[in-house]
């Protein structure tokens, strides 16, 4: 990845994996990079798809699947400096070489790492396409700020109340110290897209912990889309 901004996105998305799992499996083939993982409670499922043309250089002679420790990945990405571009290469199928270069500079790299590949096979789930009763789109930073405010107030659960007739989106939580204390966020004006089945009024509750895990990936995309069935 020669573009420093994309290298930053790539680093950000893989760093955050440490908050979900200890080991991650990544597939590479002629179409691109694919990652699928699930948190330890088997509730939150994450998929990352990067097509081959997203990378400046992408060479995969034969499909390969590698497993890595996310804690080690997080450490090496924290060492990367903001304007550095990066290079990944699997050597002899048992070591991943990661190299960081200063922007505009040619080899040799400023930092170089060798990460051992793990001999594990986690398997992948076949996830069918789904139609949603509700589809909401927000700016990632705006939605993350809403979740952050709810988290600071306290409580374990965020409740979404969506009304099609009023085109309204409310999020609220109960305080951790007193059950009768609540905080409500009116996110109606923050929606970039509001698609709801005609006449639908919906109220669902989601663990605030999982919402925090989701918005931790906010830096990799300008917008976040919520699909509710």
């Amino acid at each position: 990845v020669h573009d420093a901004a994309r290298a930053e996105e790539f680093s950000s998305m893989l760093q955050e994996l440490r908050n979900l799992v200890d080991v991650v499996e990544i597939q590479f083939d002629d179409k691109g990079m694919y990652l699928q993982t699930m948190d330890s409670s088997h509730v939150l499922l994450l998929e990352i798809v990067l097509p081959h043309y997203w990378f400046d250089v992408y060479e995969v002679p034969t499909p390969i699947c590698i497993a890595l420790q996310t804690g080690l990945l997080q450490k090496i990405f924290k060492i990367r400096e903001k304007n550095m571009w990066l290079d990944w290469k699997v050597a002899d199928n048992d070591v991943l070489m990661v190299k960081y270069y200063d922007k505009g500079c040619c080899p040799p790299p400023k930092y170089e790492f060798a990460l051992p590949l793990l001999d594990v096979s986690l398997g992948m789930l076949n996830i069918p396409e789904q139609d949603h009763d509700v589809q909401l789109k927000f700016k990632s930073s705006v939605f993350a700020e809403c979740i952050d405010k709810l988290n600071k107030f306290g409580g374990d659960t965020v409740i979404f109340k969506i009304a099609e007739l009023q085109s309204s989106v409310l999020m609220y939580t109960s305080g951790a110290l007193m059950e009768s204390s609540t905080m409500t966020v009116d996110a109606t004006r923050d929606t970039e897209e509001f698609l709801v089945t005609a006449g639908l009024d919906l109220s669902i509750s989601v663990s605030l912990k999982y919402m925090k895990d989701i918005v931790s990936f906010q830096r990799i995309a300008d917008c976040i889309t919520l699909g509710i069935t």
Side-chain angles (χ1 to χ4, degrees):
V1 182
H2 295 168
D3 180 79
R6 285 198 171 182
E8 180 69 17
E9 293 176 6
F10 190 76
S11 299
S12 296
M13 73 175 78
L14 295 186
Q15 273 193 69
E16 298 298 340
L17 292 173
R18 182 66 183 89
N19 297 325
L20 298 180
V21 291
D22 295 325
V23 176
V24 66
E25 199 169 54
I26 308 175
Q27 294 180 351
F28 297 91
D29 59 22
D30 58 349
K31 295 180 180 179
M33 183 189 109
Y34 177 73
L35 180 157
Q36 182 192 106
T37 191
M38 187 176 288
D39 73 315
S40 58
S41 60
H42 289 191
V43 172
L44 186 62
L45 177 67
L46 170 70
E47 287 184 292
I48 295 177
V49 182
L50 294 178
H52 66 88
Y53 52 79
W54 188 89
F55 300 89
D56 295 296
V57 178
Y58 185 87
E59 298 176 352
V60 181
T62 57
I64 186 173
C65 185
I66 63 175
L68 298 163
Q69 288 183 339
T70 56
L72 193 52
L73 274 178
Q74 186 181 62
K75 287 182 178 180
I76 68 166
F77 281 126
K78 284 185 175 181
I79 292 172
R80 177 185 166 273
E81 296 165 16
K82 187 173 182 180
N83 291 322
M84 287 183 165
W85 58 277
L86 60 86
D87 176 76
W88 275 32
K89 184 177 181 179
V90 176
D92 300 325
N93 285 334
D94 58 1
V95 175
L96 173 66
M97 303 300 300
V98 179
K99 301 177 183 180
Y100 293 155
Y101 301 84
D102 285 323
K103 185 177 180 180
C105 293
C106 297
K110 185 171 184 179
Y111 304 121
E112 184 173 351
F113 306 87
L115 281 69
L117 302 182
L118 304 179
D119 186 16
V120 298
S121 178
L122 304 178
M124 299 285 180
L125 297 176
N126 183 21
I127 305 172
E129 292 290 333
Q130 290 187 339
D131 294 325
H132 301 292
D133 297 316
V134 176
Q135 185 167 304
L136 307 172
K137 181 184 286 186
F138 298 88
K139 291 289 187 183
S140 296
S141 58
V142 172
F143 186 73
E145 184 178 358
C146 291
I147 296 301
D148 181 61
K149 292 290 195 300
L150 291 167
N151 181 57
K152 286 178 178 177
F153 182 74
D156 299 322
T157 303
V158 56
I159 299 175
F160 292 84
K161 292 181 70 70
I162 298 141
E164 188 270 336
L165 292 178
Q166 291 79 28
S167 298
S168 64
V169 181
L170 301 178
M171 295 183 283
Y172 67 92
T173 188
S174 298
L177 298 179
M178 294 182 63
E179 292 184 0
S180 59
S181 63
T182 62
M183 175 183 176
T184 302
V185 177
D186 188 341
T188 305
R189 295 182 180 178
D190 296 326
T191 55
E192 300 286 318
E193 184 178 88
F194 183 91
L195 300 175
V196 181
T197 301
L200 180 70
D201 284 342
L202 183 68
S203 178
I204 65 164
S205 60
V206 183
S207 168
L208 193 53
K209 174 187 180 300
Y210 295 130
M211 298 310 299
K212 286 166 53 184
D213 288 339
I214 289 170
V215 300
S216 68
F217 291 87
Q218 62 169 301
R219 289 180 292 177
I220 68 174
D222 292 333
C223 292
I224 180 172
T225 300
L226 305 182
I228 302 172
T229 303

